[in-house]
Amino acid sequence: MDAYRAIADPTRRAILDELVDRGGQSLFELCSRLTLKHGITSTRQAISQHLEVLEEAGLVRWKREGRSKLHWFVGKPLKAIAKRWRIGEQA
Amino acid sequence: MRINITGVFVDDQQKALRFYTEVLGFEKKVEIPFGEDVWWLTVVSPSEPDGTELLLEPSTHPAVGPFRAALVEDGIPAASFAVDDAQAEYERLVAKGVRFVQAPAEMGPVVVAVLDDTCGNLIQICEQRATE
């Protein structure tokens, strides 16, 4: 899936909001934030699938730290979108 | 019915006892030998000596390994303890060398943080903020 479709979903946008707020989150932390801050009560499995879509689009990467899997936001695909329409170059 | 005991599986009971008492600050309540290097071992909070006991249970059952590995991979705590001030506890424990996988974060009515108990589990500490 490409970045356009990946960010078309409001839950996936909320995931990115939270990963920008703090990089290096476990699935548990992310689900807690989505529930308590956004009122998103999707199952852990659903959030895990959203993360996979975001990874596929290059917007999220994960790394193992100790025995836990932590997630980070990656802005590069969005930069490419901004560049395509020359956002930032014009007034 | 009351909840008087709940438990966590620990890799090494005596090491766990040291961590849960000397580092986290609980007190030993019961220690009964249960065979070779196995104890019925519980701790309680010093502020609630007659409160719920935490059983430090050996992790020897073959199902415990894969079960805990899956929980830890997703950052899911095995237990959650109430604290008055999550940030202060975080700083106190970090100074004692405790590794946190999740620094204190405000999430709606709570401030939560998650630490590694060095015995195979993640433990959440949770400060409940007063709601207006």
Side-chain angles (χ1 to χ4, degrees), chain B residues 72-127:
Chain B
V72 172
E73 171 165 300
D74 285 340
I76 301 170
S80 182
F81 303 136
V83 295
D84 294 332
D85 183 335
Q87 183 64 33
E89 276 295 328
Y90 169 76
E91 285 164 17
R92 179 182 78 84
L93 293 170
V94 165
K96 286 188 158 195
V98 175
R99 188 176 76 86
F100 275 78
V101 296
Q102 183 185 316
E106 199 176 328
M107 298 186 195
V110 295
V111 183
V112 289
V114 179
L115 61 93
D116 185 330
D117 79 350
T118 71
C119 305
N121 305 293
L122 300 180
I123 298 293
Q124 176 171 271
I125 57 172
C126 180
E127 168 192 342

Side-chain angles (χ1 to χ4, degrees), chain B residues 37-66:
Chain B
D37 288 332
V38 181
W39 295 266
W40 177 267
L41 181 60
T42 73
V43 295
V44 285
S45 168
S47 60
E48 285 179 3
D50 296 318
T52 307
E53 293 170 51
L54 182 73
L55 178 68
L56 303 175
E57 194 164 356
S59 62
T60 42
H61 190 285
V64 175

Side-chain angles (χ1 to χ4, degrees), chain A residues 24-70:
Chain A
Q25 290 187 44
S26 68
L27 181 60
F28 173 77
E29 178 174 358
L30 204 45
C31 289
S32 305
R33 285 168 174 254
L34 292 172
T35 304
L36 294 166
K37 293 173 73 178
H38 299 263
I40 295 169
T41 53
S42 309
T43 62
R44 199 173 273 146
Q45 200 184 353
I47 300 305
S48 182
Q49 281 164 359
H50 281 309
L51 276 172
E52 277 174 32
V53 170
L54 290 166
E55 282 164 29
E56 213 182 298
L59 287 162
V60 165
R61 69 180 170 83
W62 62 268
K63 197 173 78 182
R64 217 167 265 287
E65 240 178 60
R67 293 171 299 135
S68 302
K69 194 175 163 184
L70 304 182

